[in-house]
Amino acid sequence: MLMSRGCVLGNVRCLSAGAADRNHKGFKCGGILSAPSSNISSPNFPSPYPYNSDCSWLIVVAEGSSVHLTFHHFELEYHASCSYDYIKIYNGVAEDEGNLLGMFCGDVSPPQFTSSWNVMSIIFHSDRHVAYRGFSVGYRKDMCGGVLTGLSGEISSPGYPLEYNNNADCTWTIRVSSASVVTLVFLDFQLENNEGCNFDFVALFDGPTVAHRHLGNYCGAAKPPHVVTTSNNLLVVFKSDFNIGGRGFKAYYYSGECQQVLSAVSGTFSSPRFPNIYPNNINCHWGITQAAGYRVKLFFPFMDLEDQNSLSGECDYDSVTVYDGDSQTDAVLGRWCGRERPPSLISRSNKLLVVLRTDRNGAYRGFTAAYLGGK
């Protein structure tokens, strides 16, 4: 597995002090932040930032929580591709472009971001010409809720799988690209049961607010059905009252870029962002279904993932797995990583499932795949 250069903070590979605290002509710039909440601003803010600045902030909060970012002011030099002055926000360490959440410039404030784990990085760069007031951003440690923007992710009740606390009030806004939709799948579910689900419950809304279409309130031990939105937003609300609890819940969400059902006789698909590098920390599914009596033949013309674990010899980091059916409980036809191109595969029935899993470090170009149905 590719290792990031620099220090180790807990189990996080982080930037070295020299890279994380770059000074230019005496101003303080960057650092490692571990407080539960704080504010970050460009050098000299609210006065114009200096030319030729390069600042890197690494935010590391307690294990089991996430980092929530909110911009209070944003004013950088504008360029169509942000080639002059910019901010980059990473879902983890900044040395791995697979963690990149977005790159921003101009005077339109970035949206709120919530990391999928306890680490987030901010990079600020200015060139030798033109300077504006810069930015001010606040972060806080989130145990419960947030704004999730990844291609896929996981949400769970506080403390899961241990019993959730009383009087919990958590809200997750899942926001994917405008051309996509959100799929939510519950893997485990156990809440206090009551008629009407008025005590402890999970409520789902087809949009970013409770004013949007209510998809249902759920409680008890029966897993809610799979949910697919009609837009690019899903709101998940979890509330518990003052007594009686349960194990809680765990659910995965998928963007349409990361969850597809393919039913045409033939087709192609590829890892997200191909031929650019895929994101870290995703779990993407492609289900191929043909008419009864048909089988699926699958090819991988291109494969470029993180290499196998040199100690175990297994694909422990990033991998593509093919299942002989429509579920991960079906037989595994193979698991691949690195640049080993899989052989052509043929299903025993009319269904195949392809799953791409990536970890939090090391990202490559991914894969392309083609399939053909036949008897």
Side-chain angles (χ1 to χ4, degrees):
M1 184 175 187
L2 294 182
M3 297 292 290
S4 298
R5 301 184 300 276
C7 68
V8 176
L9 183 61
N11 65 346
V12 176
R13 298 195 295 272
C14 58
L15 301 174
S16 65
D21 192 10
R22 295 188 181 98
N23 292 343
H24 178 75
K25 296 184 179 178
F27 63 80
K28 191 174 182 180
C29 182
I32 298 173
L33 307 175
S34 57
S37 63
S38 189
N39 291 300
I40 298 169
S41 58
S42 50
N44 298 338
F45 182 83
S47 298
Y49 48 79
Y51 302 144
N52 297 316
S53 306
D54 282 291
C55 311
S56 177
W57 292 270
L58 178 71
I59 305 168
V60 183
V61 296
E63 288 280 349
S65 53
S66 56
V67 183
H68 182 76
L69 284 185
T70 303
F71 280 83
H72 307 306
H73 183 86
F74 193 80
E75 187 182 351
L76 306 185
E77 181 182 10
Y78 175 77
H79 180 265
S81 58
C82 295
S83 298
Y84 302 150
D85 302 348
Y86 58 79
I87 272 184
K88 288 184 175 182
I89 300 172
Y90 292 84
N91 183 30
V93 294
E95 293 180 350
D96 193 332
E97 288 299 307
N99 289 328
L100 182 64
L101 292 173
M103 182 177 181
F104 305 93
C105 61
D107 60 2
V108 177
S109 185
Q112 295 182 2
F113 284 101
T114 302
S115 65
S116 60
W117 58 311
N118 65 316
V119 179
M120 185 172 270
S121 299
I122 300 175
I123 299 292
F124 169 62
H125 169 80
S126 66
D127 65 3
R128 67 180 70 181
H129 302 291
V130 186
Y132 289 83
R133 291 181 63 195
F135 68 90
S136 172
V137 60
Y139 80 84
R140 71 171 189 268
K141 178 182 73 172
D142 257 344
M143 291 297 293
C144 151
V147 180
L148 306 175
T149 58
L151 292 180
S152 68
E154 176 185 307
I155 60 174
S156 58
S157 50
Y160 178 87
L162 302 177
E163 186 168 312
Y164 54 81
N165 52 297
N166 293 330
N167 299 311
D169 189 351
C170 311
T171 300
W172 293 267
T173 302
I174 301 170
R175 181 177 300 131
V176 297
S177 65
S178 58
S180 192
V181 295
V182 183
T183 299
L184 185 70
V185 178
F186 284 88
L187 305 179
D188 189 21
F189 197 85
Q190 186 193 47
L191 274 59
E192 178 186 5
N193 191 25
N194 68 98
E195 188 175 352
C197 295
N198 295 315
F199 301 150
D200 298 356
F201 62 86
V202 168
L204 305 177
F205 298 87
D206 191 5
T209 72
V210 295
H212 287 80
R213 184 167 66 98
H214 183 215
L215 299 174
N217 276 25
Y218 302 96
C219 61
K223 284 192 292 188
H226 292 5
V227 168
V228 181
T229 62
T230 59
S231 71
N232 64 322
N233 287 277
L234 174 67
L235 182 68
V236 182
V237 177
F238 169 61
K239 291 190 177 182
S240 65
D241 65 2
F242 59 89
N243 66 358
I244 307 178
R247 186 171 63 246
F249 70 89
K250 178 180 180 181
Y252 279 117
Y253 77 85
Y254 305 91
S255 161
E257 300 169 77
C258 200
Q259 172 90 344
Q260 287 183 278
V261 177
L262 306 167
S263 56
V265 174
S266 63
T268 61
F269 57 96
S270 60
S271 51
R273 301 180 184 171
F274 185 85
N276 299 316
I277 61 173
Y278 51 76
N280 287 329
N281 201 35
I282 59 172
N283 185 335
C284 296
H285 293 198
W286 293 266
I288 305 169
T289 301
Q290 297 292 292
Y294 280 69
R295 301 167 75 187
V296 183
K297 190 168 186 178
L298 182 67
F299 311 86
F300 288 91
F302 181 85
M303 179 77 70
D304 182 21
L305 305 183
E306 186 173 11
D307 285 332
Q308 63 185 214
N309 185 331
S310 59
L311 297 178
S312 69
E314 302 293 333
C315 295
D316 297 328
Y317 305 135
D318 300 349
S319 64
V320 168
T321 306
V322 180
Y323 297 88
D324 194 9
D326 59 0
S327 166
Q328 293 178 73
T329 60
D330 289 314
V332 174
L333 293 180
R335 178 175 289 115
W336 294 272
C337 57
R339 294 189 173 183
E340 176 192 2
R341 201 172 73 179
S344 59
L345 305 168
I346 301 178
S347 65
R348 293 187 181 92
S349 68
N350 63 326
K351 296 178 180 180
L352 273 183
L353 176 65
V354 180
V355 177
L356 168 66
R357 289 191 185 89
T358 70
D359 67 1
R360 294 171 175 169
N361 300 281
Y364 293 80
R365 292 180 64 194
F367 71 88
T368 60
Y371 73 89
L372 179 65
K375 292 190 175 183

